[in-house]
Amino acid sequence: MSSAAGEALSALPPINEFAVGAVHLAVEAKACMTAFGKARPRLYDELNSSHLAIHGNSDHAIAAGLFLVNVADTFVSPGLNDFDLKTHAARVSTHRQPQDALGVIEKLREVPRRSREGDEGFDAFAITVVDCRNDGSPVRLVEAMPAPQEGDIYHYEWTVHRLAQLYEQKFRNISVASHS
């Protein structure tokens, strides 16, 4: 660890451990960076299982999803490159973009969302699009299509707003106990 990183870490507030109580908010975060075709059904099943598990534990809990989709034309997959890249040329996956990313985004839009307790689905779900080649080049946030646009229920800012609103509505009367 560099000295600058050590100083930054030291400046953070201490992390206190407490007994776990009721879950108020659970966030499932996933990404699809490559192998789009075979990833779609698995991702759908994993996401669907997540909100079912969260609400199976407590229907009052807020289930949130955060999903990252890659629109890069190429990707250096760690799974295909499990060797020293300093001594071997990287195996690079190529994608048909934006079609591959759009297929994943369309499948994500099929994941159930709920508008009230008792229903099945995520209470809020964001889809964020990036251009990530995983080759050392910068990762870029993509705000143009196929990314959800402002006003879309899957847009990141809308999701954060919905989560804040839901949390305030459901848990406004909870007081924070002091721990020593």
Side-chain angles (χ1 to χ4, degrees):
M1 177 184 317
S2 72
S3 61
E7 289 174 24
L9 186 60
S10 297
L12 294 174
I15 297 174
N16 299 312
E17 291 186 38
F18 302 102
V20 175
V23 173
H24 294 182
L25 171 67
V27 180
E28 179 74 18
K30 294 212 170 286
C32 187
M33 303 304 279
T34 190
F36 297 94
K38 65 182 179 180
R40 285 176 19 186
R42 175 185 53 81
L43 293 169
Y44 178 89
D45 288 343
E46 289 175 5
L47 289 166
N48 207 39
S49 296
S50 176
H51 73 76
L52 290 169
I54 293 164
H55 290 134
N57 181 54
S58 170
D59 193 46
H60 196 60
I62 299 168
L66 177 59
F67 203 90
L68 199 64
V69 180
N70 189 14
V71 293
D73 293 331
T74 61
F75 187 75
V76 178
S77 172
L80 295 176
N81 293 281
D82 59 349
F83 46 81
D84 187 350
L85 292 175
K86 294 176 186 167
T87 60
H88 294 84
R91 294 183 188 131
V92 180
S93 302
T94 58
H95 306 132
R96 294 175 304 116
Q97 297 294 17
Q99 298 91 334
D100 287 339
L102 277 168
V104 171
I105 291 169
E106 288 170 4
K107 191 66 177 175
L108 293 172
R109 288 179 180 270
E110 293 175 13
V111 174
R113 294 187 66 256
R114 73 181 195 166
S115 57
R116 64 180 176 271
E117 286 187 24
D119 289 350
E120 286 187 2
F122 281 100
D123 295 289
F125 191 90
I127 301 170
T128 302
V129 178
V130 295
D131 184 331
C132 175
R133 299 179 188 284
N134 202 35
D135 61 359
S137 61
V139 176
R140 183 177 61 84
L141 176 66
V142 175
E143 297 182 84
M145 294 297 282
Q149 299 299 291
E150 192 172 322
D152 186 319
I153 61 172
Y154 297 96
H155 191 270
Y156 181 81
E157 286 183 33
W158 190 94
T159 300
V160 171
H161 175 77
R162 175 147 170 81
L163 288 172
Q165 182 182 41
L166 283 169
Y167 197 90
E168 201 279 325
Q169 287 172 352
K170 289 180 175 238
F171 304 110
R172 75 175 132 246
N173 296 324
I174 293 178
S175 63
V176 178
S178 63
H179 298 277
S180 47

